[in-house]
């Protein structure tokens, strides 16, 4: 089993819909959980981070961590065409590991 | 404020040639990271520096790869000799105080490397 699993997509949803992006992981030592957004031909940029379990909300974005299930999620409410990008989950104990990313398309 | 600056943006070269990728981190950041991104393997950490000192190079694929950070404002990643399987996008990132979580890594726009 790979350390971090993420569905590559692509995921296409209509504008205004709620988007759910997910990752599973195998290493129970991970403590920090992050979501990065990467636009085409650009570097990733940090969107949200969470320490240990729980929820965190920032505007239209909500990050959830369920350590008991080794499962993390990113929800995007009222999705916009500008949200179209690749979303990478990342997590770390002493070293950061990235998922391969999910390509998201928001259809106008 | 200037972000992380990488050069060149694109590099196309023939197998066997030496390739040098360059990075200027954000001023004041004490951590610098080199990553490689491919469709097959995703984003992989190659090596990172703290205060110009290499801390972990366990992600460097083989001896053909080397990285240096001669000062706080410059780093290079060198591949010699290059091979077609080295074709990827190489990213440099910098951060203040660590690897992630509440110390976000700021990425450059990458160098797209093609080895023919």
């Amino acid at each position: 089993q790979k350390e971090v699993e993420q569905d590559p997509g692509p995921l296409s949803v209509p504008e205004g819909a709620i988007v759910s992006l997910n990752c599973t992981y195998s290493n129970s030592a991970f403590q920090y959980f992050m979501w990065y957004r990467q636009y085409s031909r650009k570097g990733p940029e940090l969107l949200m981070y969470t320490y240990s379990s729980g929820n965190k909300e920032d505007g239209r974005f909500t990050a959830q961590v369920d350590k008991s299930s080794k499962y993390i999620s990113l929800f995007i409410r009222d999705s916009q065409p500008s949200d179209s990008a690749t979303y990478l989950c990342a997590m770390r104990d002493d070293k950061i590991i990235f998922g391969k990313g999910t390509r998201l398309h928001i259809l106008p | 404020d200037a972000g992380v600056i990488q050069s060149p943006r694109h590099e196309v070269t023939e197998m066997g040639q030496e390739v040098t990728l360059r990075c200027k981190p954000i001023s004041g950041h004490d951590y610098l990271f080199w990553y490689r991104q491919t469709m097959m393997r995703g984003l992989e950490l190659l090596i990172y520096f703290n205060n110009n000192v290499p801390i972990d190079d366990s992600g460097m694929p083989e001896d053909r790869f080397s990285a240096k950070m001669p000062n706080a404002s410059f780093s290079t990643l060198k591949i010699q000799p290059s091979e077609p399987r080295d074709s990827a996008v190489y990213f440099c990132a910098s951060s203040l105080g660590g690897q992630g979580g509440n110390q976000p890594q700021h990425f450059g726009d990458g160098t797209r490397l093609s080895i023919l």
Side-chain angles (χ1 to χ4, degrees), chain B residues 32-44:
Chain B
L32 183 138
F33 308 84
W34 281 101
Y35 289 90
R36 178 172 67 177
Q37 187 175 41
T38 62
M39 290 291 289
M40 287 293 294
R41 301 175 67 90
L43 192 64
E44 300 174 284

Side-chain angles (χ1 to χ4, degrees), chain A residues 34 38 41 94-96 100, chain B residues 37 40 58 99 101 112:
Chain A
M34 293 149 276
Q38 185 176 19
R41 298 188 177 271
D94 62 336
K95 187 178 292 188
I96 189 169
K100 289 186 180 180
Chain B
Q37 187 175 41
M40 287 293 294
S58 60
Q99 279 203 61
R112 191 170 296 269

Side-chain angles (χ1 to χ4, degrees), chain A residues 2 32-34 36 38 41-46 49 88 92-100 103, chain B residues 9-10 35 37 39-43 45 56 58 91 99-105 107-109 112:
Chain A
K2 295 180 181 176
Y32 280 99
F33 302 89
M34 293 149 276
Y36 279 78
Q38 185 176 19
R41 298 188 177 271
K42 293 289 188 179
E45 57 179 331
L46 181 67
Y49 75 89
L88 298 91
R92 74 171 179 95
D93 47 2
D94 62 336
K95 187 178 292 188
I96 189 169
I97 306 292
F98 283 85
K100 289 186 180 180
R103 286 179 295 146
Chain B
R9 286 298 311 275
H10 304 273
Y35 289 90
Q37 187 175 41
M39 290 291 289
M40 287 293 294
R41 301 175 67 90
L43 192 64
L45 177 64
D56 185 349
S58 60
F91 287 102
Q99 279 203 61
N102 60 345
Q103 304 112 350
Q105 294 187 29
F107 284 77
D109 285 339
R112 191 170 296 269

Side-chain angles (χ1 to χ4, degrees), chain A residues 3-105:
Chain A
E3 275 201 289
V4 178
E5 300 264 17
Q6 187 175 9
D7 188 329
L11 178 63
S12 297
V13 299
E15 183 177 356
I18 295 175
V19 175
S20 173
L21 303 167
N22 311 292
C23 286
T24 59
Y25 63 94
S26 57
N27 185 354
S28 57
F30 288 138
Q31 292 288 343
Y32 280 99
F33 302 89
M34 293 149 276
W35 287 95
Y36 279 78
R37 178 175 61 195
Q38 185 176 19
Y39 290 114
S40 179
R41 298 188 177 271
K42 293 289 188 179
E45 57 179 331
L46 181 67
L47 201 55
M48 297 190 72
Y49 75 89
T50 309
Y51 176 72
S52 194
S53 283
N55 294 0
K56 187 171 185 178
E57 188 173 320
D58 184 2
R60 297 184 295 111
F61 299 89
T62 299
Q64 286 186 353
V65 175
D66 182 349
K67 292 191 72 178
S68 63
S69 302
K70 297 190 179 68
Y71 188 87
I72 70 170
S73 300
L74 178 71
F75 298 96
I76 307 174
R77 291 182 298 280
D78 187 24
S79 55
Q80 305 294 311
S82 59
D83 295 327
S84 298
T86 296
Y87 290 79
L88 298 91
C89 63
M91 44 203 79
R92 74 171 179 95
D93 47 2
D94 62 336
K95 187 178 292 188
I96 189 169
I97 306 292
F98 283 85
K100 289 186 180 180
T102 299
R103 286 179 295 146
L104 173 66
H105 299 292

